[in-house]
Amino acid sequence: MSWKWRQSGKLLRCLAVRSLCAVFLVQVFFLWGCEWGHMKKDEAVHTYERTLPEMPRKSIPVGGGIQILREANPLELRNPVPDGVQMVDRGRERYSFYCQQCHGVKADGNGTVGQSFAPLPTNLKGRTVQEQTDGELFYKISLGFNRHPPLYYTITEENRWAIIRYLRSIADRPAA
């Protein structure tokens, strides 16, 4: 055979293989494509396309919850938990859960995590904190201030008040 005939034979075989591959791919596409229509009927796909029913007027609360605290005067807030050993102990325990990492074991602002902050966390036993009312402390603990995060969603209201009872019990006392 001449060289041209051999080349044309290779060309024909190459075209035949490519044609078969193309036919195979088209068949696979159509076979897999059969499920495409069923996917469109799936409830999970249409969940986000549904419109919510119209809500009755005034059904979404616009007050209450944390909004009451945001609108309150911190100077008028009073600590509702009783002052006593039980609440101080509860406050000490909750302090160790939520506050100790930043403010330290001794509440002096030297906590392990707090050392990475600039400025350092506040000394909770010092005059700056202890001269504030319970309501002011509660307001700041709850809603946050400066770099202090808001903790109203992390610590229950009663436990925030108990922590304040604990902080009052460890205040620095002036030397006599």
Side-chain angles (χ1 to χ4, degrees):
M1 274 190 179
S2 74
W3 180 80
K4 286 185 179 182
W5 283 104
R6 275 187 270 158
Q7 289 298 329
S8 65
K10 285 183 177 179
L11 180 63
L12 287 174
R13 278 185 292 211
C14 183
L15 287 174
V17 168
R18 287 185 179 179
S19 297
L20 285 173
C21 287
V23 168
F24 176 75
L25 289 174
V26 168
Q27 287 178 346
V28 167
F29 177 78
F30 282 116
L31 287 175
W32 280 342
C34 290
E35 292 299 315
W36 182 258
H38 294 292
M39 189 179 96
K40 286 287 192 180
K41 295 177 186 173
D42 190 357
E43 184 180 330
V45 173
H46 294 285
T47 300
Y48 300 106
E49 295 174 1
R50 290 187 193 147
T51 57
L52 293 174
E54 181 142 347
M55 302 297 281
R57 289 181 52 90
K58 298 183 179 179
S59 63
I60 299 173
V62 292
I66 196 64
Q67 191 62 30
I68 292 173
L69 180 59
R70 283 191 175 110
E71 295 172 1
N73 179 356
L75 297 172
E76 295 175 1
L77 296 174
R78 299 290 174 250
N79 195 335
V81 299
D83 191 13
V85 175
Q86 184 179 4
M87 275 302 152
V88 170
D89 287 343
R90 182 177 183 173
R92 178 183 297 111
E93 180 184 43
R94 298 320 190 267
Y95 175 87
S96 70
F97 294 160
Y98 302 110
C99 312
Q100 181 174 308
Q101 295 78 12
C102 294
H103 291 282
V105 176
K106 298 177 184 175
D108 56 3
N110 291 318
T112 307
V113 176
Q115 294 304 301
S116 63
F117 298 154
L120 291 174
T122 303
N123 175 359
L124 301 176
K125 298 187 299 183
R127 282 182 55 191
T128 308
V129 172
Q130 295 297 327
E131 287 178 353
Q132 296 179 47
T133 66
D134 286 1
E136 288 174 300
L137 293 176
F138 182 79
Y139 191 87
K140 289 179 178 181
I141 291 170
S142 300
L143 300 177
F145 65 100
N146 297 335
R147 292 182 54 117
H148 194 283
L151 296 176
Y152 70 88
Y153 54 87
T154 306
I155 308 172
T156 65
E157 183 175 337
E158 188 174 6
N159 286 333
R160 282 178 271 152
W161 286 115
I163 289 170
I164 293 168
R165 289 282 184 222
Y166 168 66
L167 294 178
R168 296 296 187 213
S169 73
I170 61 170
D172 284 339
R173 305 287 181 225

